[in-house]
Amino acid sequence: MTNERDSIKTKQRIIVSAIELFAKDGFDGVSVDLIAKKADVNKAMIYYYFKNKAKLYEKVIKTLLDNIYEQIVLDIKKAKKPRDELKIFIETFCNFAWNNPYLSSLMLAELGSGAKNLPSDMFVGLKKIFLLLSNILKKGEEKGCFFDVKPIIIHFMIIGTINLFISTKDLRNRVVQKIDADVCNECDEKELSSYVYKKIVKMLKGEQPC
Amino acid sequence: MTNERDSIKTKQRIIVSAIELFAKDGFDGVSVDLIAKKADVNKAMIYYYFKNKAKLYEKVIKTLLDNIYEQIVLDIKKAKKPRDELKIFIETFCNFAWNNPYLSSLMLAELGSGAKNLPSDMFVGLKKIFLLLSNILKKGEEKGCFFDVKPIIIHFMIIGTINLFISTKDLRNRVVQKIDADVCNECDEKELSSYVYKKIVKMLKGEQPC
Amino acid sequence: MTNERDSIKTKQRIIVSAIELFAKDGFDGVSVDLIAKKADVNKAMIYYYFKNKAKLYEKVIKTLLDNIYEQIVLDIKKAKKPRDELKIFIETFCNFAWNNPYLSSLMLAELGSGAKNLPSDMFVGLKKIFLLLSNILKKGEEKGCFFDVKPIIIHFMIIGTINLFISTKDLRNRVVQKIDADVCNECDEKELSSYVYKKIVKMLKGEQPC
Amino acid sequence: MTNERDSIKTKQRIIVSAIELFAKDGFDGVSVDLIAKKADVNKAMIYYYFKNKAKLYEKVIKTLLDNIYEQIVLDIKKAKKPRDELKIFIETFCNFAWNNPYLSSLMLAELGSGAKNLPSDMFVGLKKIFLLLSNILKKGEEKGCFFDVKPIIIHFMIIGTINLFISTKDLRNRVVQKIDADVCNECDEKELSSYVYKKIVKMLKGEQPC
DNA sequence: CATGAATGAGAGTTCATTCAT
DNA sequence: AATGAATGAACTCTCATTCAT
């Protein structure tokens, strides 16, 4: 009666619900019951498909990180020079996070907590993204167009800025009633990514163009 | 449980334990039982002094933010020019966070989650710190030594970078067994703050010196 | 805890235990733990089936009131004249309360406390019983066989008397060691109901027979 | 510094607060903390003066029962004939309960629960009131003006009716929005007591007047 | 595959009571 | 006589997980 399609859809519904809920309330703040209700599946199915809550969480993180990684890899092919690669890295990351605001919350939560909910071999996802950037930066440094680069710090600068900006959107709106230019409530995705790119480039600018 | 009847010490022990535990495992990840045990205090005392878990959490956040705010205000008096003020802002923040690594975790968790565990009037603490920086930047912009400033983004850039770097120290050590220059495991506090300052200044550099 | 996976039986066991315990010690005097133990059910099941303690209490009250209401409605069909209806009302109520002594305690507790544990739409149960009597009395008044009727007071007179008599049976036995005719310890159900009926009828007697 | 006056006042404040709270929410529904707060005394004082919660409860019941008993004894002196005594018994009881609605709630709760919160020698208070009535009734029976008397049932009839009527005043108002003659919401104390007296007398009427 | 029933541990919170001052 | 600090047990309720069908 039920076929593979259904089972895949069920799994998908679970993951989608889990992403949203985990992002909003964190691993400990969400109950399996709630995920099941939101996904409209029987709770036991979650255990059937994912073994337990922690494994589901891992799957959620892995799914998000894999998706963004592949998107960046795909987009970056269009670039020729390190600076363009950097531009695309920032734009794609920003675009993805803007449209999947869960990602920002989850990344900050995971990184901030020392990834206590993740098993060691899960950092791969995070590291792969970092390596993408790291390679861009090192290539640029070799070519002389980037100067004085500490990859991990630049990495945190980029994703920290973007994640914090996106995940605090509601918060900032809550806290300032009147329009307040300082907190940039009306800034859109383009403004954010282009500003970050512009500033990072200026900050790293070497003697050669590229 | 000791029976000293020294309410100040008891309260202090509770707060100190709570800071550490909340930072490590988040609001939902810590039980009141555990806090009580760590503080060597009868659990009911936590409710006696703080009414409930959420209020204790608020107190923890408020204590940390107030402390760092006052430290920055104190140190910044030594500065004359906006650029020096920026330097001290970054150094003091970095120094404080380095020595109270709880702060970084808690800030990321709170900001990342949209401060769901905090009542509205608690953002004051966060906003006060932001305003400090914002004023420095705006003063510098008026004097022409900072250029093209979006305060909130610069703010997230600074605290995002520092907080992520500090709160992922263990994580980075866990993930790279061999010494890996890219992830800057051996970087100390000074290196971090001076690199961030150097880069931020370069990034904002206007036509006038100051 | 048995593991029968028979939800109806499990629910029933919970209700039966709850009726008895609530009647003896009141809503606040009984713990959910105790109800679970008496029902030989896992405590969580109570929350699974009834959501919380208050809802279980409501269910208990509703069950009892519905049962007695239906019993009275059933029995009263046999009567032709208002006086017979009144007789059956008193007899059936007395019989039911005598055999379910919980009812008396619970009714007195609920009415005495202003039904603080019940939501507004639960009075329906109480009101339905009152309306039964009220209709009998009004019909009798119209026919001229009852005289000077204030339904609510007559109602309290009947159920107050019967409930107090039944719920104080143990108390009266405890307090008078020697046989004491005044407190009617040896009175049985028949004596109680026939005495109450006889007296109420005399009290209401109008000029017409019926 | 503090003198006897103060200590008596403190005790009094505790009792007054306790009466009100126990009447509203029952023995188990009230915390010692709350009583202390309402009485504006330190919680430990309650233990100092009354030893524990149960003893305070007893004191509350005893105070109320003693007061009403003495009032009835006082008023009843004015009566000459059994019927007048009965009239005064009902009027005084009704008047007292009407002005101390706590009494009705507490009596129903205690009687309904089998006086589980009271030690055996506390029934004296209840029994003394019953004996007052019992003597009136027996005297009347001997004189031939009351007929077919079962004292305990008549007793429950009187106090049950009055207590239920008074303690359900709010409840009845809550449940019927429109003016509903049946539930006698606008009945005042006089109407209640005179109706009860009239009916009880009719119900007991013997061949002789008195 | 899917469901609802069941479990046991542990969560946050409140309580009556006592102690030290 | 009075206070605030402290205690330990109990309470209501939720959770992650498993089982039987």
Side-chain angles (χ1 to χ4, degrees):
Chain A
M1 214 63 77
T2 52
N3 58 24
E4 219 175 303
R5 288 271 156 64
D6 288 344
S7 112
I8 290 178
K9 268 186 190 161
T10 300
K11 269 181 92 165
Q12 205 54 38
R13 278 213 311 283
I14 294 171
I15 292 179
V16 167
S17 303
I19 288 179
E20 193 164 335
L21 291 171
F22 281 140
K24 188 148 54 82
D25 288 336
F27 181 78
D28 293 304
V30 176
S31 74
V32 176
D33 258 295
L34 189 58
I35 298 171
K37 198 176 293 175
K38 190 178 178 76
D40 194 29
V41 303
N42 184 283
K43 184 173 37 161
M45 282 292 96
I46 291 181
Y47 289 86
Y48 181 77
Y49 283 121
F50 300 94
K51 192 146 180 85
N52 59 32
K53 187 186 179 185
K55 293 264 171 44
L56 170 60
Y57 186 74
E58 287 170 31
K59 179 71 183 169
V60 158
I61 300 282
K62 192 169 156 35
T63 300
L64 278 174
L65 293 180
D66 283 358
N67 285 352
I68 192 168
Y69 175 79
E70 275 157 31
Q71 188 63 49
I72 296 176
V73 167
L74 191 73
D75 289 354
I76 224 161
K77 286 182 180 150
K78 299 175 229 153
K80 298 275 160 54
K81 300 172 293 177
R83 199 176 291 178
D84 293 343
E85 288 181 340
L86 178 63
K87 187 160 190 279
I88 287 174
F89 180 93
I90 290 172
E91 276 174 2
T92 299
F93 183 87
C94 189
N95 175 265
F96 191 97
W98 196 278
N99 295 116
N100 302 273
Y102 321 114
L103 181 72
S104 291
S105 295
L106 281 170
M107 281 186 83
L108 291 176
E110 267 317 304
L111 291 170
S113 77
K116 72 174 169 86
N117 295 312
L118 294 180
S120 294
D121 71 340
M122 275 293 308
F123 307 136
V124 182
L126 290 165
K127 184 145 193 194
K128 273 163 66 183
I129 294 172
F130 165 61
L131 285 180
L132 267 180
L133 178 66
S134 183
N135 286 332
I136 296 170
L137 296 175
K138 284 200 268 191
K139 216 189 307 170
E141 202 170 19
E142 283 164 15
K143 294 198 171 178
C145 60
F146 291 156
F147 168 73
D148 187 18
V149 175
K150 287 193 194 294
I152 192 73
I153 297 185
I154 304 301
H155 184 242
F156 284 153
M157 214 169 247
I158 294 170
I159 68 166
T161 307
I162 292 172
N163 282 337
L164 281 173
F165 192 88
I166 290 174
S167 67
T168 58
K169 250 190 291 185
D170 288 350
L171 186 56
R172 273 149 36 217
N173 277 320
R174 241 201 295 163
V175 89
V176 291
Q177 283 81 357
K178 53 182 164 41
I179 304 297
D180 183 343
D182 293 352
V183 298
C184 219
N185 277 331
E186 70 290 4
C187 289
D188 67 4
E189 178 210 336
K190 292 285 172 212
E191 268 175 280
L192 173 62
S193 70
S194 74
Y195 186 77
V196 170
Y197 168 66
K198 185 172 44 170
K199 289 305 193 188
I200 295 286
V201 157
K202 185 170 175 190
M203 173 166 101
L204 296 177
K205 176 113 109 274
E207 300 182 338
Q208 306 297 326
C210 61
Chain B
M1 330 269 167
T2 57
N3 183 343
E4 290 189 37
R5 309 219 165 219
D6 180 337
S7 72
I8 293 173
K9 270 186 190 160
T10 301
K11 271 178 94 162
Q12 206 54 39
R13 280 212 310 281
I14 294 171
I15 291 179
V16 167
S17 303
I19 288 178
E20 193 164 335
L21 291 171
F22 280 140
K24 188 148 55 81
D25 287 338
F27 180 78
D28 292 305
V30 177
S31 76
V32 176
D33 257 299
L34 189 58
I35 298 172
K37 201 175 291 174
K38 189 180 179 75
D40 190 29
V41 150
N42 186 291
K43 185 175 31 161
M45 282 286 96
I46 292 180
Y47 292 88
Y48 183 71
Y49 285 119
F50 299 96
K51 197 139 183 97
N52 58 35
K53 188 186 180 185
K55 292 264 172 43
L56 170 60
Y57 187 74
E58 286 171 33
K59 178 73 183 170
V60 158
I61 301 281
K62 191 171 157 34
T63 300
L64 280 174
L65 292 181
D66 283 358
N67 285 352
I68 191 168
Y69 175 78
E70 275 156 31
Q71 187 62 49
I72 296 177
V73 167
L74 191 73
D75 289 355
I76 225 162
K77 285 184 181 147
K78 297 177 227 153
K80 297 275 159 54
K81 298 173 296 176
R83 199 175 292 177
D84 293 344
E85 288 180 340
L86 178 62
K87 188 160 189 279
I88 287 175
F89 180 93
I90 291 172
E91 277 175 2
T92 299
F93 183 86
C94 189
N95 175 266
F96 192 97
W98 196 277
N99 294 116
N100 302 273
Y102 320 114
L103 181 72
S104 291
S105 296
L106 282 170
M107 280 186 84
L108 291 175
E110 267 317 305
L111 291 170
S113 77
K116 76 175 165 81
N117 294 313
L118 294 181
S120 292
D121 71 339
M122 275 292 311
F123 307 137
V124 181
L126 290 165
K127 184 146 194 193
K128 272 163 67 183
I129 294 173
F130 165 62
L131 284 180
L132 269 180
L133 178 66
S134 182
N135 285 332
I136 296 170
L137 296 175
K138 284 199 267 190
K139 217 190 307 172
E141 203 170 20
E142 284 164 16
K143 292 195 173 181
C145 60
F146 292 155
F147 170 73
D148 188 19
V149 175
K150 287 194 195 293
I152 192 74
I153 298 184
I154 305 300
H155 184 242
F156 285 153
M157 214 169 246
I158 295 171
I159 69 166
T161 308
I162 293 172
N163 282 336
L164 281 173
F165 192 87
I166 290 174
S167 66
T168 57
K169 253 191 288 183
D170 289 350
L171 186 57
R172 274 149 36 220
N173 278 320
R174 242 202 295 163
V175 89
V176 292
Q177 281 82 358
K178 54 181 164 42
I179 303 297
D180 181 343
D182 293 351
V183 297
C184 218
N185 277 331
E186 70 290 4
C187 289
D188 67 6
E189 177 211 337
K190 292 285 172 214
E191 268 176 278
L192 173 62
S193 71
S194 73
Y195 186 77
V196 170
Y197 168 65
K198 188 172 40 170
K199 290 303 192 190
I200 295 285
V201 157
K202 186 169 176 193
M203 170 167 106
L204 296 177
K205 178 116 108 267
E207 301 182 339
Q208 305 298 325
C210 60
Chain C
M1 325 264 168
T2 57
N3 185 342
E4 290 189 37
R5 311 227 161 213
D6 180 336
S7 72
I8 294 171
K9 270 186 189 159
T10 301
K11 271 179 93 163
Q12 206 53 40
R13 280 214 308 282
I14 294 171
I15 290 179
V16 168
S17 302
I19 288 178
E20 192 165 336
L21 291 171
F22 280 141
K24 187 148 55 85
D25 287 337
F27 181 79
D28 292 304
V30 177
S31 76
V32 177
D33 257 299
L34 189 59
I35 297 172
K37 200 173 292 175
K38 189 179 180 78
D40 190 30
V41 151
N42 186 291
K43 187 183 17 169
M45 282 288 96
I46 291 179
Y47 293 88
Y48 182 72
Y49 285 118
F50 300 95
K51 199 143 181 91
N52 58 36
K53 188 186 179 186
K55 292 263 172 47
L56 170 59
Y57 187 74
E58 286 170 32
K59 180 71 182 170
V60 158
I61 300 282
K62 192 170 155 35
T63 300
L64 279 174
L65 293 180
D66 283 358
N67 285 353
I68 191 169
Y69 175 79
E70 275 155 32
Q71 187 63 49
I72 295 177
V73 167
L74 192 73
D75 289 355
I76 226 162
K77 285 182 182 148
K78 298 175 230 155
K80 298 273 160 56
K81 299 172 295 177
R83 198 176 291 179
D84 293 343
E85 287 181 340
L86 178 62
K87 187 158 190 279
I88 287 175
F89 179 93
I90 290 172
E91 277 174 359
T92 299
F93 183 87
C94 189
N95 176 266
F96 192 97
W98 195 279
N99 295 116
N100 303 272
Y102 321 115
L103 181 72
S104 291
S105 295
L106 282 170
M107 281 186 84
L108 290 175
E110 268 317 304
L111 290 171
S113 77
K116 75 176 166 83
N117 295 313
L118 294 181
S120 292
D121 71 339
M122 274 292 311
F123 307 136
V124 181
L126 291 166
K127 184 145 192 192
K128 273 163 66 184
I129 294 173
F130 165 61
L131 284 180
L132 269 180
L133 178 65
S134 182
N135 286 332
I136 295 171
L137 295 175
K138 285 198 269 192
K139 214 188 312 171
E141 204 171 17
E142 284 163 15
K143 293 196 173 181
C145 60
F146 292 155
F147 169 72
D148 187 21
V149 175
K150 288 192 193 296
I152 193 73
I153 298 185
I154 304 300
H155 184 241
F156 285 153
M157 214 169 247
I158 295 171
I159 69 167
T161 306
I162 293 172
N163 282 335
L164 281 174
F165 191 88
I166 290 175
S167 65
T168 57
K169 251 190 290 184
D170 288 351
L171 185 57
R172 274 151 33 220
N173 277 320
R174 244 202 293 163
V175 89
V176 292
Q177 281 81 358
K178 53 184 165 39
I179 303 296
D180 182 344
D182 292 351
V183 297
C184 218
N185 277 330
E186 70 291 4
C187 288
D188 68 5
E189 178 211 335
K190 292 284 172 214
E191 269 177 277
L192 174 62
S193 70
S194 73
Y195 186 77
V196 169
Y197 167 67
K198 184 173 43 171
K199 290 303 192 188
I200 295 286
V201 157
K202 184 169 176 192
M203 171 167 105
L204 296 176
K205 175 113 111 270
E207 299 182 341
Q208 305 299 325
C210 61
Chain D
M1 210 65 77
T2 53
N3 57 26
E4 219 175 303
R5 288 273 155 61
D6 287 345
S7 110
I8 289 177
K9 268 186 190 162
T10 301
K11 270 181 90 163
Q12 205 53 38
R13 278 215 310 283
I14 294 172
I15 292 180
V16 168
S17 303
I19 287 179
E20 193 165 333
L21 291 171
F22 281 140
K24 189 149 53 81
D25 289 336
F27 181 78
D28 293 304
V30 177
S31 74
V32 176
D33 258 295
L34 189 59
I35 297 171
K37 197 176 292 174
K38 189 178 179 78
D40 194 30
V41 302
N42 184 283
K43 184 174 36 162
M45 281 292 95
I46 291 179
Y47 289 87
Y48 181 77
Y49 283 121
F50 299 95
K51 192 148 179 82
N52 59 33
K53 188 185 179 186
K55 293 265 171 45
L56 169 60
Y57 186 76
E58 286 170 29
K59 179 72 184 170
V60 158
I61 300 282
K62 191 170 156 35
T63 300
L64 279 174
L65 293 180
D66 283 357
N67 285 351
I68 191 169
Y69 175 79
E70 276 156 30
Q71 187 64 49
I72 296 177
V73 167
L74 192 73
D75 289 355
I76 224 162
K77 285 180 182 153
K78 298 176 230 155
K80 298 275 160 53
K81 299 172 294 177
R83 198 177 291 178
D84 293 342
E85 287 181 341
L86 177 62
K87 187 160 189 278
I88 287 174
F89 180 93
I90 291 173
E91 276 174 1
T92 299
F93 183 86
C94 189
N95 175 266
F96 192 97
W98 196 279
N99 296 116
N100 302 272
Y102 320 115
L103 181 72
S104 290
S105 295
L106 283 169
M107 281 186 83
L108 291 176
E110 268 317 303
L111 291 170
S113 77
K116 75 175 166 86
N117 294 311
L118 295 180
S120 293
D121 70 340
M122 274 293 309
F123 307 137
V124 182
L126 290 166
K127 183 145 193 193
K128 272 162 67 185
I129 294 172
F130 165 62
L131 285 180
L132 267 181
L133 178 66
S134 182
N135 286 333
I136 296 170
L137 297 174
K138 284 199 269 190
K139 217 188 309 170
E141 203 171 18
E142 285 163 14
K143 293 196 174 182
C145 59
F146 292 156
F147 169 73
D148 188 19
V149 176
K150 286 192 195 293
I152 192 74
I153 298 185
I154 304 301
H155 184 242
F156 285 153
M157 213 170 248
I158 295 171
I159 69 168
T161 306
I162 293 172
N163 282 335
L164 282 173
F165 192 87
I166 290 175
S167 65
T168 58
K169 251 191 289 184
D170 288 351
L171 186 57
R172 273 152 30 219
N173 277 320
R174 240 200 299 163
V175 91
V176 292
Q177 282 81 358
K178 53 180 165 40
I179 302 297
D180 182 344
D182 292 352
V183 298
C184 219
N185 277 331
E186 69 290 3
C187 288
D188 66 7
E189 178 210 334
K190 293 286 171 212
E191 268 177 280
L192 174 62
S193 69
S194 75
Y195 186 78
V196 171
Y197 168 66
K198 186 173 40 169
K199 290 304 193 189
I200 295 285
V201 158
K202 185 168 175 191
M203 170 167 106
L204 296 177
K205 176 115 113 266
E207 301 183 338
Q208 304 299 324
C210 61

